[in-house]
Amino acid sequence: MALGKDYVAQDCSIARALEVVGERWTLLIVRDALYGVRRYNDFLVHLGIPRAVLAARLQSLTDAGVLEKRPCPEAPRRHEYVVTERGRALWPTLRALGTWGRDTFADGKPLRYFRHAACGTELGLTAECPACGGLVPLEDVEMLPGPGLDPDPADPVSRAMLGPRRLLQPIRIDPV
């Protein structure tokens, strides 16, 4: 019996969410978009994803209102993908999933730290600031490299993320 491709028989909010973000690669695309990746080629290089899969996932995320496709300011004939409010709402979920992955599989060497830029406190499980209280707006989240991160990555997107940077700030990689 073939495995179904959707969850239409499920009366469940998690199943509805998985219809949008449950395919392989999708959450990593959203993660990268939150980190500031906007261009198709930058997603491609950073993720190592097949072109057809990336195109399908970007189209799916755009259709679902998670990303918005816009003309690229530097090259209007090209496009970039910008996180919408619906996509931004996934940040606490991605933060919690990343924390779980770090605590479960990272051998005590975090890849990245996320802190509240205003006070320097590391974010809690669902992207809240334990010191200030409340959810930290994405623009106020600073991402820093951790000891488990490769200090000399092969791809230019990973190299651009080696230093401290704010989430949502566009990563601009010059074409080679």
Side-chain angles (χ1 to χ4, degrees):
M1 184 168 160
L3 184 62
K5 292 190 180 222
D6 58 35
Y7 304 99
V8 293
Q10 296 291 316
D11 189 19
C12 170
S13 296
I14 294 172
R16 289 184 191 128
L18 288 174
E19 286 290 327
V20 175
V21 297
E23 291 184 298
R24 185 172 182 184
W25 296 108
T26 302
L27 285 177
L28 295 179
I29 293 168
V30 174
R31 174 207 62 192
D32 275 13
L34 291 168
Y35 287 2
V37 177
R38 290 188 173 183
R39 296 177 182 163
Y40 178 90
N41 284 338
D42 293 341
F43 284 110
L44 192 67
V45 165
H46 189 240
L47 294 171
I49 183 174
R51 287 180 181 275
V53 173
L54 177 59
R57 297 300 183 273
L58 288 170
Q59 185 62 54
S60 169
L61 288 166
T62 302
D63 291 346
V66 174
L67 298 177
E68 180 183 340
K69 185 176 179 179
R70 297 181 184 166
C72 185
E74 295 86 19
R77 291 181 10 185
R78 295 185 180 255
H79 291 91
E80 64 180 16
Y81 296 87
V82 179
V83 182
T84 65
E85 287 302 315
R86 185 174 281 177
R88 293 164 70 105
L90 286 166
W91 168 239
T93 302
L94 287 170
R95 170 68 182 149
L97 186 60
T99 301
W100 177 79
R102 177 196 68 198
D103 294 348
T104 306
F105 303 108
D107 299 327
K109 291 185 177 181
L111 298 175
R112 301 186 191 288
Y113 295 108
F114 296 91
R115 69 180 181 195
H116 186 192
C119 72
T121 302
E122 186 170 357
L123 299 183
L125 177 65
T126 58
E128 79 285 357
C129 179
C132 299
L135 188 64
V136 176
L138 278 164
E139 297 83 359
D140 295 337
V141 175
E142 186 174 37
M143 179 173 69
L144 299 101
L149 198 63
D150 179 358
D152 189 25
D155 75 272
V157 176
S158 293
R159 284 194 300 276
M161 288 193 268
L162 281 176
R165 61 182 335 274
R166 297 270 181 118
L167 294 187
L168 299 177
Q169 291 300 307
I171 291 175
R172 298 292 186 215
I173 306 300
D174 293 325
V176 179

